[in-house]
Amino acid sequence: THNKKKMTCYTINFPHFSEVKSLSVGIENGYSLQKGKQYINPLPVVFYGSSITHGGCASRPGMTYPNIISRHLDTDIINLGFSGNAKGEEVIAKYISDLDMSVFVLDYDHNAPDFKYLENTHERMFKIIREKNPTLPIIIMTRSSILHPETRKRRIEVIRRTYENA
């Protein structure tokens, strides 16, 4: 602080597709850099999903939907968005089930190659995570595409069935 001015907290969102080799922060004389404030929620929200979750289409890193949610809920996140590669695999479900988290967001519909694949993996992934985390809030999302309405309808039925069986 300088001249009894109010402290300001900043968040730096690193780029998604670039390696950060160094970081410098410039501050004026008389000001100080201190540890940031803790999030209100002690455990992060874990997101698992497609390139949309990852932030591949965001105009800048802070504009990914998980980062926007992080700011609004004052909570840390773990972003397990994998462009084209989040497909509800059992090994990743087991990994996620071992994480300490406050909420889990299941959002890989876009990456499931077809309806049948989604049908074979979606509820199984949910159950693996639920088994180790019986009281964890889990948010299940569908893709937002308006293309191929009949295919979309079948995918929503799979995801709705996971929800109803939960």
Side-chain angles (χ1 to χ4, degrees):
T1 59
H2 183 64
N3 295 333
K4 297 184 181 180
K5 289 187 179 180
K6 182 180 169 187
M7 289 293 283
T8 304
C9 190
Y10 294 95
T11 299
I12 298 172
N13 294 287
F14 290 103
H16 295 283
F17 300 106
S18 301
E19 179 182 349
V20 176
K21 292 184 179 181
S22 70
L23 173 69
S24 299
V25 177
I27 57 173
E28 292 182 36
N29 288 334
Y31 286 81
S32 64
L33 195 58
Q34 299 175 11
K35 182 179 179 180
K37 68 181 183 87
Q38 296 296 309
Y39 290 110
I40 289 174
N41 300 309
L43 294 175
V45 174
V46 175
F47 293 83
Y48 175 72
S50 68
S51 59
I52 295 168
T53 305
H54 178 225
C57 298
S59 60
R60 56 190 192 278
M63 295 307 293
T64 67
Y65 87 82
N67 283 344
I68 293 169
I69 289 170
S70 171
R71 286 192 300 276
H72 284 289
L73 297 180
D74 194 21
T75 191
D76 200 3
I77 61 164
I78 297 174
N79 187 336
L80 299 175
F82 300 103
S83 299
N85 292 305
K87 295 183 179 174
E89 301 93 334
E90 190 172 329
V91 67
I92 194 76
K94 288 178 180 177
Y95 169 78
I96 291 169
S97 72
D98 286 333
L99 297 175
D100 288 330
M101 58 189 136
S102 60
V103 176
F104 175 61
V105 180
L106 180 58
D107 181 25
Y108 76 95
D109 181 7
H110 269 288
N111 286 358
D114 55 42
F115 159 77
K116 206 65 175 153
Y117 186 94
L118 186 64
E119 187 173 55
N120 291 331
T121 59
H122 196 268
E123 189 167 347
R124 183 186 72 208
M125 182 168 194
F126 173 87
K127 285 180 175 181
I128 290 169
I129 292 164
R130 173 57 74 218
E131 184 178 315
K132 283 197 177 173
N133 301 278
T135 61
L136 177 70
I138 298 177
I139 298 171
I140 303 170
M141 297 176 56
T142 64
R143 62 183 175 169
S144 57
S145 175
I146 59 171
L147 302 174
H148 313 291
E150 192 53 43
T151 302
R152 186 177 188 296
K153 182 180 175 185
R154 292 176 75 192
R155 287 174 174 267
I156 289 173
E157 288 170 4
V158 168
I159 293 168
R160 182 176 302 278
R161 191 167 39 251
T162 298
Y163 168 78
E164 288 170 354
N165 292 340

